[in-house]
Amino acid sequence: MFDTTLVVVGNVLAAPEWRRLESSGSFVANFRIASTARRFDRENNSWIDGNSLRVRVSAWRRLAEGVISSIAVGDPVIVYGRLFTRDWKDDQGNNRISYEMEAYSIGHDLARGRSRFARNTPITA
Amino acid sequence: MFDTTLVVVGNVLAAPEWRRLESSGSFVANFRIASTARRFDRENNSWIDGNSLRVRVSAWRRLAEGVISSIAVGDPVIVYGRLFTRDWKDDQGNNRISYEMEAYSIGHDLARGRSRFARNTPITA
Amino acid sequence: MFDTTLVVVGNVLAAPEWRRLESSGSFVANFRIASTARRFDRENNSWIDGNSLRVRVSAWRRLAEGVISSIAVGDPVIVYGRLFTRDWKDDQGNNRISYEMEAYSIGHDLARGRSRFARNTPITA
Amino acid sequence: MFDTTLVVVGNVLAAPEWRRLESSGSFVANFRIASTARRFDRENNSWIDGNSLRVRVSAWRRLAEGVISSIAVGDPVIVYGRLFTRDWKDDQGNNRISYEMEAYSIGHDLARGRSRFARNTPITA
């Protein structure tokens, strides 16, 4: 089977956290994103909030560098990546499950602002 | 913002549960699905398991009827729908979050078997 | 970059065509699918047709076998796969572009009928 | 049925074109995007180009304004939207079909650069 991919359009809930991997020297960044759907309520003839989605996003290597240097709390973003679950046990020994999204691509949502973009210089082989 | 849609290709973990809504007489069905990605391990030159995703799926009305009459535990399926989170408190008063997928469409995966299909008769208006 | 994946929920426009590859003995099947969105027209308080999408779908190997033995013209299906373009020249030498979808998974849409499913017997290694 | 959504991660092929609608005073912008998949060739133990996708993208209103003020030819972007087809006749009277994507959200790809983002000021009601 395949990785399960999805795209989330929402807002960054807190400033990204990051660290540098000792083994490779490359970066990893994490943040949480929230997206709330809007739907048209035909009875009241107006738009109302639908369901929400909140999920933890991780970014690696070049994407982590772009996130660390570009994204702040509250930013409207579009995130594309794969979704998976992790199984773990809490302090009481209960089985727990966490959802996480590893991003392939992240961008500021140009429906809600403007961006000035500077492309990475290519890595010389 | 929009509903966050995704497609999951995986296996049904337990027989669907269902009930009939008193208010409308329509059905709702639930089951859990699991999907495990396969990825090519270049070091060992072989395919290995990647991450897994398990998620609860709900189906409503006509789709629930199709699920109830067609899907059994272990079936390989493809599920398309929207993902959202629910917030709740556990017995100790801790804030908890659950992930759920409301399906728009579900089908048996023809990459892993054959199906004989009978279309619904149209509802007379 | 990545393959561009999408899911189409629609109807099969003509009976699948298929052939067997001489080189490997495996199958390939093709059909066209059409999907027409429905949207709520707030001015007239009713549902109307939105845009349509028609695209050619190809299926390979085990999926092709499932398609050949299971799918007929008009069937409501859900198709998940990757979209790509082909460049070609027509008889007048004009540059032309075609869109094609290679399916990863295909199923009958249980929102519009019922299916009886028989799983493939595993291939003995 | 539903709109068919997809996300394309690729490069902008030419500077966006735009115009202002006389009726509403709002903007619409168009550009073409290209995405080429990379896949691992196990026989030669190296990454090679897979299939490509090129498609025309349209953006409306606030998103068009963000595109016009932010996107240049060659920019790496992520585009999320819905795909549909248009039927038309060419000069010889042949039936032709075009594919178009109406974007819901567009962003610069932070895997390939850095962006400085300025959020739109809210519209006073």
Side-chain angles (χ1 to χ4, degrees):
Chain A
M1 290 182 273
F2 327 99
D3 278 313
T4 300
T5 57
L6 77 171
V7 59
V8 183
V9 180
N11 288 84
V12 175
L13 285 174
E17 299 182 347
W18 59 272
R19 61 197 166 86
R20 192 160 191 167
L21 302 177
E22 277 188 39
S23 52
S24 61
S26 69
F27 292 88
V28 54
N30 294 282
F31 60 89
R32 289 181 66 81
I33 186 175
S35 174
T36 299
R38 297 283 293 170
R39 62 181 188 79
F40 189 73
D41 180 6
R42 278 141 59 187
E43 291 190 11
N44 296 301
N45 208 47
S46 62
W47 288 90
I48 58 173
D49 278 357
N51 288 114
S52 290
L53 174 69
R54 294 200 313 281
V55 69
R56 186 174 185 265
V57 176
S58 66
W60 297 79
R61 289 172 293 273
R62 299 287 277 185
L63 180 54
E65 293 177 51
V67 164
I68 294 164
S69 57
S70 309
I71 286 187
V73 55
D75 280 0
V77 291
I78 169 175
V79 178
Y80 174 59
R82 65 189 182 90
L83 184 73
F84 58 93
T85 45
R86 284 189 198 281
D87 296 292
W88 55 288
K89 280 187 196 296
D90 66 14
D91 297 342
Q92 284 79 40
N94 302 310
N95 292 317
R96 298 280 293 275
I97 186 170
S98 294
Y99 288 74
E100 185 169 327
M101 186 176 174
E102 181 185 322
Y104 299 146
S105 175
I106 299 173
H108 281 109
D109 184 358
L110 296 177
R112 296 194 278 156
R114 294 152 188 237
S115 79
R116 186 171 299 193
F117 185 75
R119 202 164 177 168
N120 290 336
T121 46
I123 304 170
T124 317
Chain B
M1 291 180 271
F2 328 99
D3 278 313
T4 300
T5 58
L6 77 171
V7 60
V8 183
V9 180
N11 289 83
V12 175
L13 286 174
E17 300 182 346
W18 59 272
R19 60 197 167 85
R20 192 160 191 166
L21 303 177
E22 279 188 37
S23 51
S24 61
S26 68
F27 290 88
V28 55
N30 294 282
F31 60 89
R32 288 180 68 80
I33 186 176
S35 175
T36 298
R38 299 282 292 169
R39 61 181 188 78
F40 189 74
D41 180 4
R42 279 143 56 189
E43 291 191 10
N44 296 302
N45 207 44
S46 63
W47 289 90
I48 58 172
D49 279 357
N51 288 115
S52 291
L53 174 69
R54 293 199 315 279
V55 70
R56 186 174 184 264
V57 176
S58 65
W60 298 79
R61 292 174 290 275
R62 301 285 279 187
L63 180 55
E65 295 178 49
V67 165
I68 295 165
S69 56
S70 311
I71 286 187
V73 55
D75 280 0
V77 291
I78 168 175
V79 179
Y80 174 59
R82 65 189 182 89
L83 184 74
F84 58 93
T85 44
R86 286 190 196 282
D87 296 292
W88 54 287
K89 278 186 196 296
D90 66 15
D91 296 344
Q92 284 79 39
N94 302 311
N95 291 317
R96 298 280 293 273
I97 186 170
S98 294
Y99 289 74
E100 186 170 326
M101 187 176 173
E102 181 186 321
Y104 300 147
S105 176
I106 299 173
H108 281 110
D109 184 358
L110 296 176
R112 296 194 276 157
R114 294 153 187 235
S115 81
R116 188 171 297 194
F117 185 75
R119 203 164 175 166
N120 290 336
T121 46
I123 304 169
T124 319
Chain C
M1 292 181 269
F2 328 99
D3 279 313
T4 300
T5 58
L6 77 171
V7 58
V8 183
V9 180
N11 289 82
V12 175
L13 286 173
E17 299 181 347
W18 59 272
R19 60 198 166 85
R20 190 159 193 167
L21 302 178
E22 277 187 39
S23 51
S24 60
S26 68
F27 291 88
V28 56
N30 295 282
F31 60 90
R32 288 179 67 81
I33 186 175
S35 174
T36 299
R38 299 281 293 169
R39 62 180 186 80
F40 189 74
D41 180 5
R42 279 142 59 189
E43 291 190 10
N44 296 303
N45 208 45
S46 63
W47 288 89
I48 58 173
D49 278 358
N51 288 113
S52 290
L53 174 69
R54 292 199 315 280
V55 69
R56 186 173 185 267
V57 176
S58 66
W60 297 79
R61 293 174 289 274
R62 300 285 278 185
L63 180 55
E65 293 177 51
V67 164
I68 294 164
S69 57
S70 310
I71 287 187
V73 55
D75 280 0
V77 290
I78 168 173
V79 179
Y80 174 59
R82 65 188 182 89
L83 184 74
F84 56 92
T85 44
R86 284 189 198 283
D87 296 292
W88 54 288
K89 279 188 196 293
D90 65 15
D91 296 345
Q92 283 81 40
N94 302 311
N95 292 317
R96 298 281 291 274
I97 185 170
S98 294
Y99 289 74
E100 185 169 327
M101 187 176 172
E102 181 187 323
Y104 299 146
S105 176
I106 300 173
H108 281 111
D109 184 358
L110 295 177
R112 295 194 278 156
R114 294 152 188 236
S115 79
R116 188 171 297 194
F117 185 75
R119 203 165 175 164
N120 290 336
T121 46
I123 305 168
T124 317
Chain D
M1 288 183 274
F2 327 99
D3 279 313
T4 300
T5 58
L6 77 171
V7 59
V8 183
V9 179
N11 289 83
V12 175
L13 285 173
E17 299 182 348
W18 59 272
R19 60 197 166 88
R20 191 160 194 166
L21 302 177
E22 278 189 36
S23 51
S24 61
S26 68
F27 291 87
V28 54
N30 295 281
F31 60 89
R32 287 181 68 80
I33 185 175
S35 175
T36 299
R38 298 283 291 171
R39 62 181 188 79
F40 188 74
D41 180 5
R42 279 141 60 188
E43 292 190 11
N44 296 302
N45 208 45
S46 62
W47 289 90
I48 58 172
D49 278 358
N51 288 115
S52 289
L53 174 69
R54 293 199 315 280
V55 68
R56 187 175 184 264
V57 176
S58 66
W60 297 79
R61 290 174 290 273
R62 300 284 278 185
L63 180 54
E65 294 177 50
V67 165
I68 295 164
S69 56
S70 309
I71 286 186
V73 55
D75 280 0
V77 290
I78 168 174
V79 179
Y80 174 59
R82 65 189 183 88
L83 184 73
F84 57 93
T85 43
R86 286 188 196 282
D87 296 293
W88 54 287
K89 278 187 195 296
D90 66 15
D91 296 345
Q92 284 81 40
N94 303 311
N95 292 318
R96 298 280 292 275
I97 186 171
S98 294
Y99 289 74
E100 186 169 327
M101 187 176 174
E102 181 187 322
Y104 299 147
S105 176
I106 299 171
H108 281 109
D109 184 357
L110 295 177
R112 295 196 276 156
R114 295 152 186 234
S115 80
R116 187 171 297 195
F117 186 73
R119 203 164 174 166
N120 289 336
T121 46
I123 305 168
T124 317

